[in-house]
Amino acid sequence: MTRLSKRPRVPRRAAWFSLHGAPDRPADLERSAPRWAIVLAGLLGLGLALVALGPHRIGDYSTETDFYGSYAEGARLLQQGRVDPSRYGVIGPVYETALALVGFAVPDLFSAAEWLSIAAALATLLLWFHLIRRRIDARHALLAALFIVTNPYFFRYGYTASSDGVATALQAGALFLTLGTTGRPTAWMAGLLASLAFLTRYNAIYLLPGGALACLGLRPGHRDRRDALRFVVGFAVPALGWTLYGLARGEPPSIQLHHNVAYEAFARPRGISWDEYERSLEPQFPTLWAVISRDPGALILRWARNVPQHLILDARVLLGWPIAACATGGALLIRDGTRLGVRLAPLGLAGFLLFLTLVPVFHSERYSLPLLPFYAALAAVFFGSPRFALSLGRGRLWLKPALATIPLALSLAASVRLQRQVLAQQPVEALECAETLRALRRPGDRVIARKPHVAYLSGVEPTAFPFVDGLPALADYARRQGARWLFYGWPEAESRPALRHLLDTTGTVPGLQVRRATHPRPAVLYEIGPGFGRRPAWYDNDTLVSLHDARVYLMSHPDDVRALASAGLIERDREMLREAREHLDRAARLDRENIDLLLPLGEVLLRLGDLTDAALAYERVEQLAPGNVEARVGRGWVSLAGGHRAEAAALWRSVIRATRNRPTLERMVRVYRAVGDAEAAAEAQAALATLPSAR
């Protein structure tokens, strides 16, 4: 029997589609990725420069207040060789030092701060790109860079005159030297940079344990445990040197961040503003121990609640829900047993420690900004992992990374919206008032203001706005401080509401002369003169007080119907007809079916002689409320004013007995006699007789 030969095996054809991809590191992408990162950084730098050189004209009233009130002054002092350790209770001296150095090349410190933030944003982007590329691969690095660069707040603080960008860049540099490089010299250099990051933003202390633990065994390709000691020594050199310098000057460094902890635990939950905390609660917490011993249980409970709340706020505010969902998906893929977990474990530890430093204080997207690259790395894992890659051919062509364009586009659109909002809310009123103040200032002048913008821009010495509830106390404070100027804008109106009528310059205040009033963003620059502190006469007229309050409220809420109606009705009664028309007309347009707005609007239009619009207002009332007496009477007056006596008589005929207005009935009697309608004239005369006698 012949032995049958075996049939040769046919190679199995690769599936044209597979759920998961082949784990690989495409050589062409590894080579080209650094160039793409540079292109991305160039586009970011161009966009930031265009904003800084163009629409970003002045710092905002929140984050950039610190520039006008502290950083610029500190930089000038450092340029003069004067170092004052007592200044640095909230941040360290590194940012002001960097600002001073850049200020030698860019004398305008606001522009210098912008360029410093731009450089920091570019450094952060490139450092994290190279860190993730070395920890994982180029695909993940490029994806993470895209998630960083399209983030709304990364771009927003990339041109902001604040320490946020520099703090984030220094932390990125320390992490890169710790986790993205090998070799003995980088350990102490990483510690040195971590210390500089700490002396920029004190919560960067997380880099000390995080970096030391990484050096003990988590650094790639280098496991010399003496690196941990080198890292600690590198960290100690600047930090200890700064401490010794302060002690030698008799000003030991004093970190005052415990006030943020106290505010979060004992003030914010009770609805107490930061101003009120500074006024009433801050003296109760001179030290961190005073905060802890006040109520340890409440403190721990607040921190426990802040953990999920901060995560949710990071997802909703810092990232946006689409990117947050991607980061969550990336975290789940890491837990799925992929080798990415081992590579990212050191970064995860650092991010966890950073997050813990933020838990004791209130959430802010600028505080959480250094966390953004950690979240971006997780989002990159979601799209860069071979798990569920939706690959074609032999698993080399992945479709999943292309899906990243969806959340990236959404994030980019959110970034555009945020920048428009931020730039639209710039306090340009401070620029206008500062221009006037700069022209009128005299040596030794001082200006009272809640924010330091006007003082800085005009070159006048700032004086804090006191906690006062009335003009006499404010006037007494101004005299004691020798202040010649008073600036009152929205920060003052929000924090000192008892004086909000100062925004309405129609309410004359003795001793205050208006030098500049701005619109549409309201603010007033007053020159303080003799008589300031006397009670204005209109203070005793409740109606006028209500009118000024309504006008001020409308400056920030221009579409509030109740305030519009209140102002319009008072103005109508006080014969301020043009102002009444503006307010009532706007209110009626917002609430088109409110006859209580249409009737007084018709009256005002009639009294102004705008008969066409008055008739339309009354006709609209009759459509909404058929048989309305006031509307029919109003239409009759419109016809009469237009010279149509017979038409007016016809309109009034059905409402003679229902009318209770004496001038209208008296006019009816004359009209009906003139047109020969004796019966209607008698009816109007009888209705007139039923009214109480006029006094």
Side-chain angles (χ1 to χ4, degrees), residues 89 253-263 265-266 277 281-295 299 303:
S254 176
I255 298 178
Q256 300 296 317
L257 294 179
H258 62 274
H259 287 301
N260 286 352
V261 179
Y263 175 76
F266 306 118
Y277 168 81
L281 293 181
E282 185 177 284
Q284 302 177 25
F285 302 106
T287 63
L288 178 60
W289 176 247
V291 178
I292 296 173
S293 61
R294 173 69 171 265
D295 191 342
L299 210 59
W303 294 352

Side-chain angles (χ1 to χ4, degrees), residues 175 206 346-356 371 374:
L175 289 168
Y206 78 92
L347 283 177
L349 174 62
F352 175 72
L353 293 174
L354 171 57
F355 180 83
L356 288 183
L371 279 170
F374 294 94

Side-chain angles (χ1 to χ4, degrees), residues 354-565:
L354 171 57
F355 180 83
L356 288 183
T357 66
L358 300 174
V359 166
V361 301
F362 56 89
H363 182 272
S364 169
E365 71 282 347
R366 57 186 291 249
Y367 293 165
S368 295
L369 189 65
L371 279 170
L372 169 63
F374 294 94
Y375 293 130
L378 290 177
V381 167
F382 180 72
F383 290 104
S385 167
R387 300 287 293 173
F388 307 103
L390 308 177
S391 61
L392 300 177
R394 297 178 180 271
R396 302 298 182 184
L397 179 60
W398 297 1
L399 298 181
K400 185 173 66 168
L403 298 178
T405 55
I406 298 174
L408 287 171
L410 293 173
S411 185
L412 183 61
S415 182
V416 172
R417 289 194 300 270
L418 178 66
Q419 311 322 317
R420 286 177 175 173
Q421 178 184 351
V422 169
L423 296 173
Q425 293 178 352
Q426 292 179 99
V428 292
E429 67 275 13
L431 284 172
E432 298 178 35
C433 289
E435 179 184 12
T436 299
L437 181 53
R438 188 165 52 248
L440 299 176
R441 68 183 179 183
R442 294 198 295 257
D445 274 1
R446 301 167 69 95
V447 58
I448 298 173
R450 173 69 179 83
K451 299 289 185 177
H453 296 55
V454 169
Y456 175 87
L457 294 168
S458 61
V460 173
E461 187 174 351
T463 300
F465 208 110
F467 292 99
V468 293
D469 297 325
L471 290 175
L474 179 59
D476 180 65
Y477 174 82
R479 283 190 290 270
R480 286 187 283 107
Q481 295 294 322
R484 180 188 169 202
W485 301 96
L486 173 67
F487 176 81
Y488 199 89
W490 277 119
E492 290 75 16
E494 291 179 350
S495 60
R496 310 294 187 269
L499 300 170
R500 61 184 178 274
H501 60 79
L502 289 175
L503 280 176
D504 181 16
T505 56
T506 63
T508 305
V509 177
L512 290 183
Q513 184 174 0
V514 178
R515 290 300 191 182
R516 186 73 176 260
T518 64
H519 300 283
R521 294 186 61 89
V524 187
L525 176 67
Y526 289 102
E527 183 176 0
I528 301 173
F532 181 40
R534 291 204 313 266
R535 184 179 178 84
W538 56 266
Y539 263 34
D540 298 319
N541 188 315
D542 292 340
T543 301
L544 286 177
V545 170
S546 298
L547 175 59
H548 292 305
D549 284 346
R551 285 176 170 174
V552 170
Y553 187 78
L554 287 171
M555 292 178 183
S556 60
H557 303 82
D559 293 335
D560 186 277
V561 174
R562 293 183 61 182
L564 288 167

Side-chain angles (χ1 to χ4, degrees), residues 109-131:
L109 286 181
F110 183 74
S111 297
E114 290 178 305
W115 289 112
L116 189 57
S117 292
I118 292 173
L122 299 180
T124 299
L125 179 67
L126 293 175
L127 285 166
W128 270 95
F129 166 79
H130 287 291
L131 174 57

Side-chain angles (χ1 to χ4, degrees), residues 32-43:
S32 63
R35 294 194 294 272
W36 284 112
I38 292 174
V39 170
L40 191 60
L43 293 174

